[in-house]
Amino acid sequence: MKTHKLPVNLTDEQIEDFGRELDAIRDEILDSRGERDRAYILKVIKTQRSMALGARVLIYASLFFLPAWGHALAVWPVMLTLLGLGTFMLGIAKILENMEIAHNVLHAQWDWMKDPEIQSNIWEWDTMSPSDRWMHSHNVVHHTWTNVLEKDLDVGYGIMRVTPMQRWKPAYLLQPVYFILLMLLFEEGVAFHEQAIDDHIKGKNKFADFKPLLKRIGYKIWRQVAKDYIAWPLAAALVAIPISFFVDFSPLAVFGIVAGANAIANVIRNIWAFMIIFCGHFPAGVHNFTLEQVEGETRARWYLRQLLGSCNIEGGKLFHVLSGNLSHQIEHHLFPDMCSNRYKEASPRVRALADRYGLPYNSASLFRQFGTTWLKNIRLAFPGGGEPYQRNPSQATSS
């Protein structure tokens, strides 16, 4: 018998069977967690912190190769090479911290270890969004209501039309611009990605209703700005002050060079995080859902919605680590509290299960997933593109 409103040719009983088989995969992998998983996350954390320190050292070291020093190697090519290498390393370190470490720690993937330093309730990550606020908007809201219109704020991030089910309005004409700006300023965008702020923009609440929230976000933003654009550059400038009496360069220029390197590293992280995250839910073939479709949703139907609303990105081992294993977005949405290094183990089993039940498993290269995401962004900036949301209980689109 079929009473559900999901866009699949399965009976209610078959969906429940599908859910039980996914439960079995989850339970088997969670029950096998142990020392190799502990060793993995500790190694990643050590690698990230060593890389971040090495990057800072390279950025500072490059300053001793400014032409003003006058020695044989004090030339712009050498200085810029060291500075560029340090900046790139810092960007990669920030990617590792945000994607493979913090994102997954905040999902409580490593709470089972009982390590007092690696717990979801105490970890504060290297980005402008406060951890506790992100855990609410992401873990609670997004993962519960994945791709459900009027519930999941990640559907277009409040500024873009990512499915024809969203009614078109003239403001969407600028969404190709929003797309690029959000990519470059993704850290800032995520910090302000809050339902209360979205409600205020739509006139649903008063400023006083979310003023404490803004203070909380503002404090975290200030901490990040102070660290990347004041403390680290100032440390270099203070060292440069006495040296400037003997070598002809400005401490202010030193401050600007270090601050600029930090800014570029943050942009590197922003672009990468944006690409990986947008490839998880917006490429061609992904489904969106209505409130009517998820009414009375069982765990098995929730599993099915996660499968239909998520996409994987294919790549090698390093790619998966740098993506925070969100390249296995389907498995992450099915099992958000599973250790990220185990998604590669779950992935072929989930895919085989989907094939057996005749369900789509959206997995492709980064080029395909990001390319179709970008093309959809451009197409949906204009009217049309599919059937708009008419509160039709059976409506769900694959776009």
Side-chain angles (χ1 to χ4, degrees), residues 157-179:
Y157 281 75
I159 58 173
M160 287 180 283
R161 183 173 179 244
V162 297
T163 169
M165 293 169 69
Q166 294 171 276
R167 288 189 177 279
W168 182 85
K169 54 187 178 182
Y172 289 138
L173 288 170
L174 293 177
Q175 73 177 32
V177 177
Y178 305 154
F179 189 89

Side-chain angles (χ1 to χ4, degrees), residues 133-148 150-154 193-195 302 305-306 333:
R133 294 308 312 166
W134 179 85
M135 289 171 71
H136 173 74
S137 63
H138 182 79
N139 296 6
V140 178
V141 179
H142 170 61
H143 273 265
T144 300
W145 298 102
T146 307
N147 287 26
V148 178
E150 302 179 26
K151 281 291 188 179
D152 183 6
L153 195 59
D154 283 19
H193 186 49
E194 291 276 353
Q195 186 64 56
W302 177 86
R305 177 162 55 84
Q306 303 306 315
H333 264 262

Side-chain angles (χ1 to χ4, degrees), residues 30 41 57 92 130 142 166 173 197 221 277 280 286 288 355-356 376 382 393:
L30 291 190
I41 190 61
V57 170
I92 298 300
H142 170 61
Q166 294 171 276
L173 288 170
I197 296 175
I221 290 175
I277 291 169
V286 75
N288 292 91
D355 288 345
R356 182 150 54 83
K376 275 176 59 181
F382 301 94

Side-chain angles (χ1 to χ4, degrees), residues 189-217:
V190 171
F192 289 103
H193 186 49
E194 291 276 353
Q195 186 64 56
I197 296 175
D198 186 68
D199 286 345
H200 182 69
I201 293 172
K202 295 176 180 176
K204 296 180 180 180
N205 63 17
K206 298 179 181 179
F207 178 76
D209 295 335
F210 66 98
K211 186 176 179 181
L213 171 62
L214 284 183
K215 286 185 177 180
R216 175 82 180 89
I217 296 171

